[in-house]
Amino acid sequence: HLDSLGKRLYDQKVKRVVQAVMTGDSENPLGREDDEVQFILDLGLIAWSSQKGLYIANPIYDEIITRQLNSRYHDSTPAPSTFKWQKPDGSLDMDSLLREFQGFWREHSEIWEQKADYTEAFPHLLLVAFLHRLTNGDGHIEREVAAGSGRMDMLVEYGGEKFIIEIKMLRHKQAPESVREKGLRQIAQYRDRKAPAAPAWLVIFDRRPESKELPWEERLGWEEGNGIVIVRC
């Protein structure tokens, strides 16, 4: 059954909807009356509720789908010892880990994205794969996604500590400040619900075509304040 599920993910009818759910795409609304959506609802891959909207049907499917789609990125990421991501006492240094990811994104993203099947979800998949590769065996990542939400939320648990990460896309014709402010509100709400005392990072991927013409020094950024770190990629 799970092997069949993995193959289904590359069906074009399945791909469009699953990718929209994974990324929280709010630019292209989905409705339950859409033939493609109804097909995937019937398959049981996604579900709908008045509170969540369209979402991955259960945690097992969420894990299998994510692992299937990011396995090549996970397996191609260098060994954890290559990066600086732990404090001297062995605890997770999330600031260092995400700074390492910025460097990794700068070095690999443009080439790897050319070979990606799920191009819209590529940033999400690469960051999740990077986190899994470094925390594998000693950590746990809980994801929360739903179509129309405009983001992916993650609760990372490692060594008894909790960390909040939210991923947002900055797309063509969107105002950077608007995306930033909305992201800050959303991550604060998610943190209050999941782990009020946890530190938080808002990761914004700039997907605007014009941004690709800028030097990396301008595309990457790091901003601290009000208890939430904003990471630009």
Side-chain angles (χ1 to χ4, degrees):
H1 172 67
L2 295 179
D3 287 342
S4 176
L5 167 62
K7 293 176 182 178
R8 284 281 191 183
L9 295 175
Y10 301 100
D11 183 314
Q12 288 301 315
K13 291 188 295 184
V14 174
K15 178 180 176 180
R16 185 180 80 87
V17 177
V18 170
Q19 184 163 239
V21 174
M22 289 187 66
T23 62
D25 186 3
S26 58
E27 299 293 305
N28 302 290
L30 300 174
R32 284 177 289 164
E33 71 282 357
D34 297 347
D35 290 341
E36 291 177 346
V37 174
Q38 190 58 58
F39 173 68
I40 302 171
L41 283 167
D42 291 342
L43 285 176
L45 282 179
I46 63 173
W48 183 90
S49 75
S50 58
Q51 292 184 328
K52 293 183 178 181
L54 293 167
Y55 62 98
I56 303 298
N58 60 63
I60 294 177
Y61 281 177
D62 179 45
E63 189 68 21
I64 293 298
I65 290 171
T66 303
R67 297 255 180 186
Q68 173 76 24
L69 295 177
N70 74 12
S71 61
R72 69 175 66 175
Y73 312 131
H74 177 278
D75 295 346
S76 298
T77 300
S81 58
T82 307
F83 303 103
K84 178 183 178 183
W85 61 281
Q86 287 179 304
K87 297 177 182 177
D89 62 2
S91 60
L92 177 59
D93 186 340
M94 185 62 78
D95 278 340
S96 292
L97 188 154
L98 290 176
R99 287 188 185 277
E100 291 281 8
F101 177 76
Q102 284 183 310
F104 190 78
W105 176 259
R106 175 175 180 165
E107 182 177 356
H108 297 288
S109 62
E110 292 179 346
I111 296 175
W112 286 18
E113 186 173 359
Q114 294 174 9
K115 302 176 183 179
D117 294 301
Y118 278 56
T119 53
E120 287 300 314
F122 173 71
H124 304 70
L125 292 169
L126 187 59
L127 178 53
V128 172
F130 191 82
L131 292 171
H132 268 301
R133 180 74 169 99
L134 271 61
T135 64
N136 191 31
D138 296 307
H140 173 72
I141 301 173
E142 176 185 324
R143 292 175 299 276
E144 188 171 300
V145 294
S149 65
R151 85 271 191 182
M152 172 191 282
D153 294 313
M154 291 188 287
L155 173 64
V156 180
E157 298 185 68
Y158 187 91
E161 294 184 288
K162 295 181 179 181
F163 308 84
I164 298 292
I165 297 176
E166 179 173 298
I167 301 174
K168 283 191 73 67
M169 299 291 108
L170 174 57
R171 295 187 172 91
H172 183 52
K173 294 185 179 180
Q174 288 184 315
E177 190 62 26
S178 175
V179 171
R180 177 184 179 279
E181 292 305 315
K182 186 175 182 180
L184 288 172
R185 291 196 303 271
Q186 290 172 329
I187 194 172
Q189 292 169 354
Y190 179 72
R191 178 171 62 179
D192 288 345
R193 181 162 53 85
K194 300 296 290 189
W201 290 260
L202 172 62
V203 182
I204 300 176
F205 288 95
D206 192 341
R207 306 294 280 170
R208 297 173 299 171
E210 60 270 26
S211 296
K212 293 186 178 181
E213 304 301 319
L214 298 174
W216 277 106
E217 288 72 21
E218 294 183 34
R219 293 163 64 179
L220 301 177
W222 191 275
E223 178 185 342
E224 300 182 18
N226 299 320
I228 298 174
V229 179
I230 299 175
V231 183
R232 290 191 292 110
C233 291

